[in-house]
Amino acid sequence: MGITHQLKRSEYIEWNYDAEVYAFGKRLGEQFDNNILREALTDSSYISQERVRQQELGVPEPALTMTSNNELATAGSHIIADYSIKYLRSALPLFPEEGIRSLVDYLTSSEVMAEVGLGIGLKDLILCKEYPPTPETVGKCFQAVVGALNASTSLSQCQLFVRDFVVTQLVGKDLNEIWEIENPMEAMQDILGRSGRGEPEPRLIFESGKNTLEAVYHVGIYSDKEFIGSGYGETIGTAVDQAARDALRRFFQTTAASPPLPFGKENVKLKAEPNLSVEDCLIPSEKPPVRCPWSQQHLALEVPPGPPRLQLQAGIAAEKAPFAGFCLQTRERKQSGRASRVFCLGALWERARRAMSCCARGGESCVV
């Protein structure tokens, strides 16, 4: 069969570039100036190619009236970055400034720009030397389209376009994976210390499969006898690291249960002032104290339940949250000729059922 040639859409007989450019603007629901939009779709490599082709045909000085999209791409890139950072600061007021900038870097990356450009149908409209166009060319062309929309209409209309096509790329993404803290435990210690709260204390909630290849540990982190986060891991160190990340997600309000970004008809007031930085919550002596707002937020935290076999009666986990980090021990006892298991909170000895009843009522006898 050999290598098949990938035909351009413009190589078909019924191709009409003017009609395609006009239909492109109408599909987006925007009012573009036709000449500016054509400039946004013209890459500099296409102009160079046309100049060389005319010189080969004997034209010493080709008279080309086309203009590349370099200036429009630069203007569009600035609009995308400026609006995205102001929008995210307002939508995520507790997310640190480092995380906001990481999200903006992700949104303005060539991969995301190319994905958005291909999604709105720029592949067959771009005038460039190569086909199919490279991701860098598609991304640059999309930025030029944003610049062309700003030049054709208004800045506010262009910002709504950026919100609908660019910022929405964060839907379904884990913001904490795009911006990942290298040392979460150290960052959490700094935040709690600057907020006047106690040091984070990791406690083992339960473990399973110890000394096996399928070991799993569940660690909770407490501050001033208050539960602030938990995590799982195949080792205790991994579980502590995941618990610290979970606590930071709760502080920054970027958990899976957090409200989604406000899109649609909701009016978001852009925020020019930067969010509080994690570096501002460090406690070096040469820096003045900065009060951290994260740990001051009202967090409805609950101690996560253990496996069904290890759940205690009457919800003593909620009443005894400061002491929930102790391991649950089981003791098999025989009564009336039948074996039964009794679960004790933090006990290394066998307790009577009377003691368990006291624990269920919140008695002090269950505190070790």
Side-chain angles (χ1 to χ4, degrees):
M1 295 295 293
I3 301 177
T4 59
H5 175 63
Q6 186 176 3
L7 295 177
K8 298 181 181 180
R9 183 66 179 87
S10 58
E11 295 179 0
Y12 289 83
I13 298 177
E14 74 279 4
W15 175 258
N16 188 330
Y17 188 73
D18 295 335
E20 294 292 339
V21 171
Y22 178 81
F24 171 76
K26 295 305 178 181
R27 284 197 302 270
L28 296 179
E30 304 292 349
Q31 299 296 329
F32 286 95
D33 182 273
N34 187 51
N35 295 328
I36 299 179
L37 182 57
R38 281 175 169 270
E39 178 182 343
L41 298 174
T42 304
D43 189 67
S44 58
S45 62
Y46 178 80
I47 299 178
S48 301
Q49 182 186 31
E50 286 296 315
R51 183 177 289 107
V52 172
R53 187 175 66 85
Q54 291 190 17
Q55 289 177 352
E56 292 177 352
L57 295 176
V59 180
E61 296 182 359
L64 297 177
T65 59
M66 294 182 295
T67 306
S68 67
N69 58 4
N70 292 334
E71 294 184 3
L72 289 176
T74 302
S77 176
H78 176 73
I79 293 174
I80 293 174
D82 182 70
Y83 176 78
S84 298
I85 193 170
K86 292 180 180 179
Y87 175 90
L88 292 175
R89 284 172 180 171
S90 178
L92 302 171
L94 296 180
F95 205 54
E97 184 66 18
E98 295 90 344
I100 295 294
R101 295 190 177 277
S102 296
L103 296 181
V104 174
D105 292 341
Y106 168 77
L107 292 176
T108 56
S109 62
S110 59
E111 293 80 7
V112 175
M113 292 288 98
E115 182 179 355
V116 177
L118 293 175
I120 63 177
L122 289 179
K123 177 180 178 181
D124 295 309
L125 296 178
I126 298 177
L127 299 178
C128 59
K129 181 179 180 180
E130 68 280 348
Y131 186 85
T134 62
E136 291 75 14
T137 302
V138 178
K140 178 182 176 181
C141 185
F142 174 75
Q143 293 173 343
V145 169
V146 174
L149 180 61
N150 180 53
S152 303
T153 57
S154 61
L155 179 60
S156 60
Q157 186 69 20
C158 183
Q159 290 176 341
L160 293 178
F161 181 85
V162 173
R163 183 199 64 183
D164 295 339
F165 287 94
V166 179
V167 184
T168 52
Q169 299 301 311
L170 294 176
V171 175
K173 302 291 192 306
D174 188 356
L175 307 184
N176 305 283
E177 291 184 357
I178 299 177
W179 178 63
E180 187 173 357
I181 300 180
E182 296 182 358
N183 195 335
M185 180 60 75
E186 181 180 353
M188 186 173 56
Q189 289 176 351
D190 295 333
I191 292 174
L192 293 176
R194 181 52 63 95
S195 300
R197 298 185 56 173
E199 290 288 328
E201 180 182 354
R203 299 181 182 179
L204 182 64
I205 297 178
F206 72 85
E207 61 183 5
S208 177
K210 186 178 181 180
N211 298 327
T212 66
L213 295 178
E214 298 181 354
V216 59
Y217 300 89
H218 186 191
V219 172
I221 294 185
Y222 297 78
S223 175
D224 295 332
K225 297 183 179 182
E226 179 185 354
F227 174 80
I228 61 175
S230 66
Y232 296 84
E234 63 276 8
T235 63
I236 294 181
T238 303
V240 171
D241 182 81
Q242 294 301 319
R245 297 183 185 279
D246 179 65
L248 291 177
R249 286 193 293 267
R250 293 170 183 265
F251 288 161
F252 303 153
Q253 294 187 359
T254 55
T255 62
S258 299
L261 295 176
F263 294 120
K265 297 181 180 180
E266 300 181 29
N267 187 17
V268 178
K269 185 178 180 180
L270 301 182
K271 180 182 177 183
E273 298 78 12
N275 287 0
L276 187 63
S277 171
V278 173
E279 297 296 331
D280 294 336
C281 276
L282 299 178
I283 322 177
S285 56
E286 62 271 12
K287 279 191 174 184
V290 177
R291 190 73 172 175
C292 295
W294 295 308
S295 59
Q296 301 172 18
Q297 302 297 320
H298 176 68
L299 305 177
L301 303 178
E302 297 180 357
V303 178
R309 293 182 58 191
L310 298 182
Q311 291 181 357
L312 299 181
Q313 310 174 37
I316 65 171
E319 298 180 9
K320 294 299 178 182
F323 310 99
F326 296 98
C327 297
L328 298 174
Q329 305 292 334
T330 63
R331 289 293 179 267
E332 182 175 330
R333 55 183 301 171
K334 293 183 179 180
Q335 186 175 9
S336 301
R338 297 192 309 174
S340 61
R341 287 188 176 273
V342 177
F343 301 96
C344 302
L345 177 63
L348 300 179
W349 58 86
E350 183 178 353
R351 286 181 181 268
R353 292 187 181 275
R354 185 185 308 171
M356 290 301 298
S357 300
C358 181
C359 288
R361 295 192 301 268
E364 296 299 329
S365 59
C366 62
V367 180
V368 179

